[in-house]
Amino acid sequence: MTGGITTAREKSAPQRAMEKLGLLRDIDLALHLPIRYEDETRITPIADSPDNAPVQVEGVVSECRIEQRTRRQLLVRLADGSDSLLLRFLNFYPSHQKTLAVGQRVRVRGEARNGFSGREMVHPTFRAVDAHTPLATALTPVYPTSAQLPQAYLRKAVAAALARAPLGELLPPGTVPPGLPTLREALHHLHQPGPDVPLATLEDRSHPAWQRLKFEELLAQQLSQRLAQRERQRLRAPQLLAAPAGLRDLLLAALPFQLTAAQQRVGDEIAADMGRAADSAMSSAPGAAPMHRLLQGDVGSGKTVVAALAAAVAIDSGWQCALMAPTELLAEQHFRKLAQWLEPLLSARGQTIAWLTGSRKGKGRAAMVARVASGEAALVVGTHAVIQDDVHFARLGLAVIDEQHRFGVAQRLALRNKLADQGGPVPMEPHLLMMTATPIPRTLAMSYYADLDVSTIDELPPGRTPVLTKVFADERRPQVIGRIADEVARGRQVYWVCPLIEESEHIDLQIATETHAQLSAALPAQMVGLLHGRLPAAEKSAVMALFAGGQMAVLVATTVIEVGVDVPNASLMVIEHAERFGLSQLHQLRGRVGRGAVASVCVLLYQGPLSPTGRDRLRAMAETNDGFEIARRDLEIRGPGEFMGARQSGDALLRFADLADDAPLLQLAREQARVLLQQHPAAAQAHVARWLDSRAEFLKA
Ligand code: ADP
Ligand code: MG
C-alpha cells in the first residue's frame, strides 16, 4: 500500500484467511463441512456432568480469586443448585475476572473431571447470560479453520453462504443413487443439524447426507478426469521409438544386472505409449496422444532404471528428456546414477547431461541453460529449477517426475508446457511419466485415476534380504547404540533418523543435534555426520558424499533423506520418535536399508505411552515389508482422507469420500460419469464447475 489509504475494497484479515483456505465462492463455503459439533442446545446439571466429555453447564459465580501456586491461576467457583464446579484458568486477562465476578450468571462449556476439591474444568469457554438467554436450537458446527480466521466469523460466513448458494439439482434423474437426499438437504443437515439429531449419525459417514456428498465429489472427480483425458486426446506428442542398436540397447547391455520381469513389463508398457504412431485420421500430426502414466513401485524396486531406459528411447528418437526430482539431494543422486550409466554412451554421440538445481547459479547455470536450448543436453536432470522460465528446451519429448506427490500441480503443468513453446501445426506436449513409491492399491488406482494409466512394479530385484524391523521403547536406546557400535565395527554403515516437527524447525534441530552429540561421544573413533534441512546445499552434498563414499560410519539426519537415497552398505536404520511418522513415511525411510545383500535391521524407537492406533501402526511396520500392504493398512488405520490428503498429494483430491470404504460409490460415480458425458454434457460441465471450478484446470495435470 502506498500512502496508507484504506479503500473499501481492501480485505480484512479473516477474508484473506478465507481465501487462503480456498473459500472464495458461496458454494465453496457451503461445501466446507464441520469437523465436529458442539451441543449448546441443552444445559446439564453440574451433578450430572460426565467425566472427560464435552458438556454445557450454567450457574452463578460464588467465588473468584487468583492463586499463586507453581504458577498464577484464576480459580472460579460456579454453583447451579445441583453441585458446584471449580473453573481453573492458567492464562487469563482482566476481562475474565469481570465476566466471572461473584454473582454473575455464566454458561460454561468444557470437560469436567474430579479434582482435589470436587468437580473441576480447566480452561472452559464461557459467556455471560441472564436467566432468559435462549439455548441454541441446533448443534453448533465447528469448522476446520486457521489462526487468522475466528470460528465465529467463519460460522457466520458459512451460514450466510449456505442461504445464498445456488444449490438447485443439476443432475438428471437417475444419476444419484436412490434413497439419498438432495444436495441442499444434505448440506443443511450437516451444517445445521437439529437438536435431536444424534451426534453419532453426523460423525458416521455412512449417513445418507454424507453419501450424497461423497457421491457428488467422486462424480466431479471422475468427470473432470474424463474431460481432461478427452482434451489430452486432442494433443499430440512425438512418436518415440528405440533405434536398432541405439542408446536403449547399449544401456541395457551396459547395466550390471538383468531387469526383473516387472521392470521389463512396465518398460514395455511405457515404450508402447511413447511409440504409438499418428492415427491415420490425423496423419499430418507427428505422433499419437501424449503418454500420461503413473509408475508405482515400492522403495528399491528399481524405478530409476526404468526411467533411464525410457529416456534412452526418447534420445534415440532425437528428442530430449527432462527428469525432475523434489529435492536437491535426490536430484543429485539421480544425476550421478544416470551419469554413470549414460554419460559414456552419450559423449560418444557428442551429447551431454545437464544438471539444473536452485543452488547452481551464475555462469555454470547459464552454460547449462544454453546446452538445454541448443539440444546438446539430451538429458536434463534437476529440481524445480528445470521448469524455470529461462529454461527452453530444443526438443523436449519426455518428462519424468520422480516422487510425483511431492510436486504441486502447477509445477507439473509448467513442465508439460515446456514443449508448447516450440510451436508447430498441432498443439504438442511431451510424454509424461510420473513415478511414486507411495503406491495406492492397484485396483483402487485403476478405478480412481480415470485419466491416468498405471504401471506397477510388483517385485523387488533378486538378492535383497528383507529388512528386519524391531520396535523398542526409547528406554532401550543404550542397547541400540551398542548395536550401532557392533555394526560399524563390521564395516557397515548406519542411518539415525530424527523427526521433523513442522511447527518447530528449532526443536527438530535440537533433537538431531543432541542425538548427534550422543552418538559422537559413544563412537569416538568413528565419523558421525549430521544432515538437516537448514544446511546449505553444498554442505549437504558434502556430508552425503562422505556417507555414500563409506568414510562416514553414522549419519544422523532429519527426514531430508526420506526419499531415494541409495547407499547399499548401510545395514542399520534407527528411527527416533517413530510414533510421529506416517506409515508410508516410515516405509520410505526403512527402504534406505536392505539395498545390498547384507541382512539389515530397522529399529523403531518410540516414546511411550502409545495410543492404540500408534501401537497398530508400529506393529504393521514390524509385520510387513510390502509397500502395497502398508498402504492398505495405512488406509485402514488412518482413513484415506489423510492418505490421499493434502499432505501426500500436494493438493487434496478427495475431501469427503474415502477410497477404501467408498469403492462401491466410486464404481457408481465412474459409470454415471460416462453416461452423463454422453447424454447430458451440459449437466456434466455444470457439476464440475460447482465442485471444482478453478481446481478443474489443475486436475488436468
Ligand atoms: P526406487 O524404485 O526406490 O527408485 P532405485 O531405482 O533407486 O529404486 O533402485 C534401487 C537399487 O536397485 C539401485 O541400486 C539400482 O541400481 C538397483 N537395481 C535396480 N534394478 C535392479 C535389478 N533388476 N537387479 C538388481 N539391482 C537393481
Ligand atoms: Mg527412486
Side-chain angles (χ1 to χ4, degrees):
M1 282 288 307
T2 52
I5 300 163
T6 308
T7 65
R9 293 171 53 87
E10 193 162 318
K11 297 188 179 100
S12 66
Q15 276 170 329
R16 285 198 304 272
M18 283 207 311
E19 284 183 13
K20 245 182 146 171
L21 292 176
L23 304 174
L24 303 169
R25 306 169 301 163
D26 286 339
I27 186 74
D28 300 327
L29 281 157
L31 294 175
H32 191 63
L33 290 188
I35 29 174
R36 59 187 175 83
Y37 302 86
E38 285 175 354
D39 187 354
E40 295 174 316
T41 64
R42 67 200 90 214
I43 303 282
T44 304
I46 292 172
D48 298 342
S49 59
D51 270 347
N52 302 315
V55 66
Q56 175 165 260
V57 302
E58 184 175 312
V60 175
V61 176
S62 61
E63 188 186 351
C64 176
R65 64 194 160 87
I66 291 173
E67 210 180 77
Q68 185 74 47
R69 292 202 185 167
T70 43
R71 57 191 285 195
R72 230 164 80 93
Q73 40 186 289
L74 178 67
L75 299 177
V76 175
R77 185 158 293 283
L78 190 72
D80 73 349
S82 76
D83 197 350
S84 80
L85 177 69
L86 184 71
L87 313 180
R88 190 188 293 276
F89 298 90
L90 300 170
N91 297 308
F92 58 95
Y93 302 98
S95 62
H96 279 65
Q97 284 158 273
K98 207 166 146 204
T99 310
L100 297 168
V102 172
Q104 295 281 15
R105 173 176 283 272
V106 281
R107 209 169 269 174
V108 173
R109 285 187 49 79
E111 296 188 3
R113 59 186 167 91
N114 287 325
F116 289 116
S117 44
R119 303 293 282 166
E120 73 168 61
M121 262 187 202
V122 180
H123 276 253
T125 58
F126 60 91
R127 65 182 176 120
V129 291
D130 60 40
H132 310 290
T133 308
L135 283 165
T137 53
L139 294 174
T140 310
V142 179
Y143 294 102
T145 185
S146 61
Q148 294 74 35
L149 181 55
Q151 193 60 237
Y153 184 100
L154 182 55
R155 216 172 260 156
K156 275 200 198 113
V158 171
L162 187 62
R164 277 193 310 256
L167 293 174
E169 186 63 78
L170 297 175
L171 300 173
T175 310
V176 179
L180 300 188
T182 65
L183 179 62
R184 186 188 301 277
E185 288 162 351
L187 287 175
H188 276 273
H189 179 82
L190 293 172
H191 281 294
Q192 295 163 349
D196 299 324
V197 175
L199 268 177
T201 68
L202 293 170
E203 279 150 19
D204 174 4
R205 296 200 166 192
S206 63
H207 187 277
W210 273 114
Q211 293 286 306
R212 170 80 203 219
L213 280 161
K214 291 173 173 191
F215 176 77
E216 291 236 340
E217 176 180 48
L218 288 167
L219 183 64
Q221 300 294 342
Q222 291 293 316
L223 283 171
S224 75
Q225 293 189 27
R226 278 174 183 269
L227 287 169
Q229 185 179 33
R230 234 188 234 185
E231 233 167 90
R232 185 170 292 107
Q233 294 301 332
R234 278 201 278 273
L235 298 168
R236 288 292 161 260
Q239 183 182 18
L240 306 178
L241 293 167
L247 193 58
R248 181 177 187 279
D249 291 348
L250 291 172
L251 173 56
L252 264 181
L255 285 177
F257 49 74
Q258 296 259 299
L259 294 186
T260 62
Q263 284 171 317
Q264 191 90 51
R265 174 172 44 74
V266 302
D268 291 346
E269 288 165 2
I270 293 165
D273 281 356
M274 299 194 304
R276 262 196 300 273
D279 328 341
S280 50
M282 296 215 27
S283 51
S284 66
M291 166 168 75
H292 195 230
R293 189 171 280 279
L294 180 69
L295 172 57
Q296 349 185 77
D298 208 346
V299 237
S301 61
K303 295 183 290 295
T304 316
V305 66
V306 173
L309 289 166
V313 172
I315 298 167
D316 263 346
S317 299
W319 291 80
Q320 289 167 297
C321 171
L323 192 151
M324 191 160 83
T327 65
E328 201 139 313
L329 264 181
L330 193 52
E332 181 171 344
Q333 180 169 301
H334 277 310
F335 177 71
R336 283 220 208 96
K337 190 127 234 175
L338 294 170
Q340 176 199 329
W341 286 335
L342 286 170
E343 189 105 72
L345 304 175
L346 283 174
S347 64
R349 308 153 54 116
Q351 290 179 309
T352 58
I353 305 182
W355 161 239
L356 283 173
T357 63
S359 64
R360 178 181 279 260
K361 297 207 170 71
K363 275 195 193 142
R365 173 179 166 83
M368 288 294 175
V369 169
R371 281 199 221 162
V372 177
S374 72
E376 181 198 321
L379 180 61
V380 183
V381 182
T383 56
H384 303 78
V386 169
I387 48 170
Q388 272 159 21
D389 287 343
D390 64 333
V391 182
H392 299 282
F393 288 82
R395 284 164 67 77
L396 181 61
L398 169 66
V400 181
I401 301 183
D402 195 16
E403 304 301 339
Q404 149 264 354
H405 60 280
R406 294 279 211 99
F407 283 101
V409 173
Q411 292 154 344
R412 273 179 265 161
L413 274 175
L415 188 52
R416 284 176 35 200
N417 286 335
K418 285 289 169 190
L419 187 57
D421 323 343
Q422 292 165 199
V426 232
M428 292 268 286
E429 274 208 350
H431 296 282
L432 184 60
L433 178 63
M434 292 165 274
M435 307 201 283
T436 179
T438 314
I440 66 174
R442 186 177 163 79
T443 45
L444 271 183
M446 301 287 266
S447 47
Y448 179 69
Y449 295 121
D451 179 34
L452 206 57
D453 297 305
V454 181
S455 286
T456 304
I457 305 186
D458 50 8
E459 157 187 31
L460 291 180
R464 300 270 168 87
T465 20
V467 179
L468 180 64
T469 300
K470 298 190 169 173
V471 180
F472 290 149
D474 195 59
E475 288 77 54
R476 294 179 65 181
R477 191 187 258 266
Q479 277 159 271
V480 174
I481 294 177
R483 176 69 190 260
I484 292 180
D486 291 348
E487 212 61 23
V488 168
R490 279 193 232 131
R492 306 275 154 68
Q493 289 166 278
V494 178
Y495 291 107
W496 185 300
V497 180
C498 300
L500 186 114
I501 305 163
E502 265 159 49
E503 313 87 76
S504 167
E505 262 188 86
H506 179 69
I507 298 180
D508 133 38
L509 209 53
Q510 191 179 323
I511 294 179
T513 314
E514 279 166 14
T515 298
H516 177 249
Q518 187 182 23
L519 292 177
S520 304
L523 303 164
Q526 301 293 342
M527 192 193 296
V528 180
L530 176 60
L531 190 65
H532 59 79
R534 292 245 189 109
L535 284 183
E539 221 166 301
K540 273 188 212 162
S541 46
V543 172
M544 226 27 243
L546 283 169
F547 191 67
Q551 297 98 312
M552 182 182 287
V554 180
L555 178 61
V556 178
T558 57
T559 43
V560 288
I561 58 161
E562 182 187 335
V563 281
V565 182
D566 192 23
V567 179
N569 189 46
S571 61
L572 174 60
M573 162 152 305
V574 182
I575 304 177
E576 185 167 356
H577 281 296
E579 77 282 359
R580 295 193 191 161
F581 290 87
L583 270 194
S584 31
Q585 222 181 353
L586 288 174
H587 181 63
Q588 291 276 322
L589 286 168
R590 176 171 65 181
R592 300 304 116 219
V593 291
R595 307 208 132 212
V598 292
S600 300
V601 175
C602 174
V603 175
L604 303 177
L605 277 182
Y606 66 86
Q607 202 103 55
L610 287 177
S611 66
T613 319
R615 189 163 311 124
D616 284 352
R617 286 150 45 86
L618 295 185
R619 184 179 304 144
M621 287 302 296
E623 281 172 4
T624 177
N625 270 306
D626 176 348
F628 288 92
E629 173 66 14
I630 287 183
R632 202 185 58 71
R633 298 222 196 163
D634 209 10
L635 277 169
E636 258 173 34
I637 300 172
R638 283 203 293 171
E642 273 185 79
F643 178 81
M644 283 294 290
R647 262 185 265 167
Q648 303 214 11
S649 60
D651 46 324
L653 292 181
L654 290 174
R655 286 186 281 164
F656 305 128
D658 171 321
L659 280 185
D661 288 357
D662 299 324
L665 267 187
L666 172 60
Q667 208 47 46
L668 287 175
R670 226 174 119 79
E671 285 157 25
Q672 288 304 326
R674 193 177 44 77
V675 174
L676 273 186
L677 282 175
Q678 262 168 20
Q679 296 172 12
H680 306 279
Q685 290 284 0
H687 183 75
V688 171
R690 169 182 277 177
W691 271 84
L692 301 165
D693 189 44
S694 54
R695 298 205 322 154
E697 184 57 34
F698 275 165
L699 284 171
K700 292 178 199 161

